[in-house]
Amino acid sequence: MAKRILIVDDSELMIEVMTYILLGKGYEVASSTHAHELFRTIKACHPDLVILDIVNKSMDGRELCRLIKLNRATENLRVIVCSENEETEAQEPQKGAPDDVLHKPFGMNSLIHKVQLQLAA
C-alpha cells in the first residue's frame, strides 16, 4: 500500500510541483490550501506524513506543526515544514517541533530524500 502524504500550502503552484514529484515516486498525495481546515483534512485522508509551508496566509506553519505534535490523536504523525529561512531548525523548540525542515528553494532529490527519511522513521 502506498504511503499517503498531505501537503498544506497556500501556493497552488507549490502543491502542483510537489504533487507531481511525489506521485512520480509512487506516493498517494492529498493537498489543501486551507490551513485552518488542517485537522479535518487529516481526519479525512489519514496521511502518513504532512508537509507544511511555514509561511501561510491564514496560519503560521510552525503553530500548525505544534498543534499536530501536541494533539494526542496526531502526535506521532511525521511533519516536514518548508521554509526559506536557513535558521528555522535552530529556532524551533523541542516540544512541538517538526520532524524535519525542507529549505526553499529545494530540488526534487532533496524533497524525495526528506520524505523517504521521515516515512522510514
Side-chain angles (χ1 to χ4, degrees):
M1 179 180 229
K3 297 283 186 174
R4 181 171 292 150
I5 300 167
L6 171 61
I7 302 168
V8 181
D9 196 311
D10 55 6
S11 167
E12 290 188 28
L13 177 60
M14 188 57 70
I15 288 174
E16 266 185 59
V17 169
M18 285 194 278
T19 298
Y20 178 80
I21 292 167
L22 295 169
L23 286 174
K25 290 296 179 180
Y27 296 107
E28 291 181 19
V29 179
S31 64
S32 176
T33 56
H34 305 291
H36 61 280
E37 295 178 356
L38 177 65
F39 284 95
R40 189 175 328 158
T41 307
I42 288 172
K43 189 175 181 179
C45 75
H46 305 287
D48 299 293
L49 170 70
V50 176
I51 301 175
L52 293 171
D53 187 24
I54 282 185
V55 179
N56 196 299
K57 291 176 188 169
S58 59
M59 292 184 79
D60 183 286
R62 290 171 293 229
E63 183 59 28
L64 288 170
C65 181
R66 278 187 211 96
L67 292 172
I68 291 170
K69 293 298 187 176
L70 297 176
N71 183 312
R72 286 188 179 201
T74 57
E75 66 187 352
N76 295 320
L77 185 56
R78 308 302 289 180
V79 178
I80 297 174
V81 295
C82 296
S83 174
E84 293 179 6
N85 183 349
E86 292 290 329
E87 297 177 16
T88 298
E89 291 161 294
Q91 294 174 355
E92 288 296 330
Q94 286 290 74
K95 195 164 185 151
D99 298 294
D100 208 342
V101 177
L102 182 62
H103 295 287
K104 292 180 180 180
F106 57 85
M108 181 173 81
N109 291 334
S110 180
L111 171 63
I112 293 165
H113 176 73
K114 291 207 180 257
V115 166
Q116 288 173 337
L117 278 174
Q118 291 309 313
L119 291 174

